[in-house]
Amino acid sequence: MSRRSGILEFAVLGLLRESPMHGYELRKRLNTSLGVFRAFSYGSLYPCLKTLVGQGWLTEEPGNAADDALAATLAGRRAKIVYRLTAEGKEHFEELLAQTGPDSWEDEHFTMRFAFFGQTSRDVRVRVLEGRRSRLEERLEKMRTSLARTRERFDDYTLELQRHGMESVEREVRWLTELIESERAGKDQRRSDPDDSAGTESHETGGLPRDRGGTRPDPSDDTSS
């Protein structure tokens, strides 16, 4: 399985965990809600759905009768199929959510993991954020070393482009540090809360900084890969 197809399967499972959807609805959510799939096509989505159904992680069900009749009247299309996550699919997605290895730190995969942080446990969120920050700090160090070695060979515009790339990485490192600190502060608050008798880990997105003071960087905007 290619890395991109793995990201697509992850996204499809995550969206269907929220609610069952038609293929068109899925594509729309992938394109509008998850920026990494802005240029997505049906040609990529439907083979993915077929694979997930074959693995037992999704089921295909007939859509709403009124919607199907309208679709047939307007375009002569077949009745819409609704895709629903199975119990096995939910279990598989939760296993994917719990993974914190290097793949979860890379650009596209991290963006997708972050999109589903609301369904992820706090401890896992922190490990993924820390891994991503470590990955970017390594990248930043390489960029600085490269710039120092090659500065004399570049014109002003090329140098400015490299500085812009470094600033993008530095901005994301600062953003990640804010998120990590907020996640840890939320965890400490939860441990000290006398009303929290359950003692279970929260999946809420309570780790987001209360006052951001700006717009978070888009990890996909990093031009320094």
Side-chain angles (χ1 to χ4, degrees):
M1 180 193 303
S2 69
R3 173 174 293 181
R4 187 164 180 81
S5 63
I7 295 173
L8 174 57
E9 289 190 4
F10 178 88
V12 168
L13 292 171
L15 289 175
L16 290 177
R17 189 188 186 194
E18 297 174 2
S19 65
M21 297 183 200
H22 300 296
Y24 175 78
E25 293 174 306
L26 267 171
R27 182 173 182 252
K28 187 175 180 181
R29 287 290 305 277
L30 288 167
N31 286 336
T32 59
S33 302
L34 309 176
V36 71
F37 291 114
R38 289 188 185 99
F40 226 72
S41 68
Y42 280 115
S44 300
L45 177 57
Y46 282 102
C48 173
L49 290 169
K50 183 177 180 180
T51 297
L52 295 176
V53 170
Q55 291 171 326
W57 295 333
L58 301 182
T59 60
E60 296 177 322
E61 303 174 358
N64 178 274
D67 291 341
D68 292 343
L70 178 61
T73 300
L74 293 177
R77 294 193 297 256
R78 293 179 302 167
K80 289 183 179 180
I81 294 174
V82 172
Y83 295 91
R84 183 183 299 274
L85 198 65
T86 64
E88 292 80 5
K90 181 178 179 181
E91 181 178 352
H92 177 64
F93 181 67
E94 289 175 349
E95 291 173 356
L96 294 176
L97 281 179
Q99 294 178 5
T100 59
D103 279 351
S104 66
W105 313 338
E106 299 303 326
D107 295 338
E108 282 192 348
H109 205 158
F110 172 75
T111 301
M112 188 56 54
R113 287 299 303 270
F114 192 86
F116 291 100
F117 262 21
Q119 302 183 39
T120 307
S121 69
R122 190 188 302 272
D123 286 346
V124 170
R125 292 198 301 261
V126 170
R127 288 196 293 271
V128 172
L129 291 170
E130 288 177 335
R132 174 66 175 175
R133 182 175 64 177
S134 176
R135 172 71 177 86
L136 291 184
E137 287 173 340
E138 292 174 1
R139 183 182 299 176
L140 191 57
E141 184 60 31
K142 291 179 181 178
M143 293 171 69
R144 288 169 175 160
T145 300
S146 175
L147 183 61
R149 289 175 180 171
T150 59
R151 184 184 299 271
E152 301 299 326
R153 288 181 282 173
F154 291 147
D155 61 32
D156 290 343
Y157 294 99
T158 303
L159 288 172
E160 187 62 28
L161 185 62
Q162 291 212 358
R163 280 193 289 267
H164 173 69
M166 288 177 58
E167 290 172 358
S168 296
V169 179
E170 290 170 342
R171 186 167 62 250
E172 186 175 346
V173 168
R174 291 194 296 270
W175 171 65
L176 290 166
T177 298
E178 289 180 13
L179 289 174
I180 291 167
E181 291 174 352
S182 295
E183 291 284 359
R184 289 174 174 165
K187 188 171 184 177
D188 291 343
Q189 176 63 34
R190 184 174 178 82
R191 285 176 174 171
S192 62
D193 186 352
D195 295 329
D196 179 19
S197 58
T200 56
E201 186 64 45
S202 172
H203 288 201
E204 296 177 359
T205 54
L208 294 175
R210 293 291 184 269
D211 182 8
R212 303 206 57 76
T215 303
R216 75 171 180 85
D218 181 353
S220 62
D221 189 39
D222 179 10
T223 58
S224 59
S225 298

